[in-house]
Amino acid sequence: MRGWAAALLLLAGCSQGDAPSPEPEGAALEQAAIARGVVRDAATAQPVGLYAREGDRLCVTARRIGAFVDYGEANGCSARGRYTRDGERMRVELGKDCAFETAFDGDAIRFPGALPAGCEAACRGRASLSGLRFDRLSESASEAAALRDPAGRGLCG
C-alpha cells in the first residue's frame, strides 16, 4: 500500500502543469498568416471597394458607404450614407436614426443582427439590412462609386 502511495506522489511531482500562454494559439497563427501575406491585416487594410453576397451589394469609397438588397416583389432595401473607421470597426450612418457599427475583417463587412428602428425606413416589404455579410469583390474605388441600386440611384458616387 505504501508503495502505491509513494508511486502516486512521485508521478504527481513529475507532472508539468500547463502554464498559461501569453496569447491564444489562434492569435499566433493569424499573425504568422498576416506576415506571410496569406491573410489580410484588418487593422491596416483599406475598406474601399465593392462587396457582395448573392444579390446584395455594398460599396465603400473614401467617405461614403451604400448598400442595397433586392428580393423582388416589393421587398428590398437601399441606403447610402457616410462612415468612419476605427481599426476593425466601422461606424456607419445611413440617414436619420440609422447609425450602427459594422465589423470589418479586411475581406468582408458584417452588419449587426439588430439595427436601430430608423434603418427600417431604407427598406420596403419584409426586407431588412440586419445581419448582412458582404464579401469583397474589388478594391476599386471607381467600381464602388459606380454602384447603383435597382432604381438607378447612385449609392457611393
Side-chain angles (χ1 to χ4, degrees), residues 30-114:
E30 182 178 7
Q31 289 303 318
I34 289 170
R36 288 176 177 74
V38 174
V39 174
R40 187 185 309 255
D41 184 1
T44 60
Q46 295 301 313
V48 172
L50 188 61
Y51 298 77
R53 171 64 60 104
E54 296 179 8
D56 307 337
R57 297 287 185 267
L58 177 85
C59 58
V60 180
T61 60
R63 295 182 200 116
R64 296 181 185 264
I65 188 167
F68 80 81
V69 296
D70 186 10
Y71 301 125
E73 299 185 27
N75 290 298
C77 302
S78 180
R80 62 183 176 179
R82 298 194 178 276
Y83 75 95
T84 56
R85 173 141 177 243
D86 183 21
E88 295 180 26
R89 311 292 301 165
M90 293 170 62
R91 177 79 179 155
V92 176
E93 294 181 17
L94 297 176
K96 185 178 181 182
D97 300 323
C98 183
F100 54 92
E101 283 193 358
T102 66
F104 172 64
D105 69 7
D107 287 317
I109 295 176
R110 291 179 308 282
F111 284 14

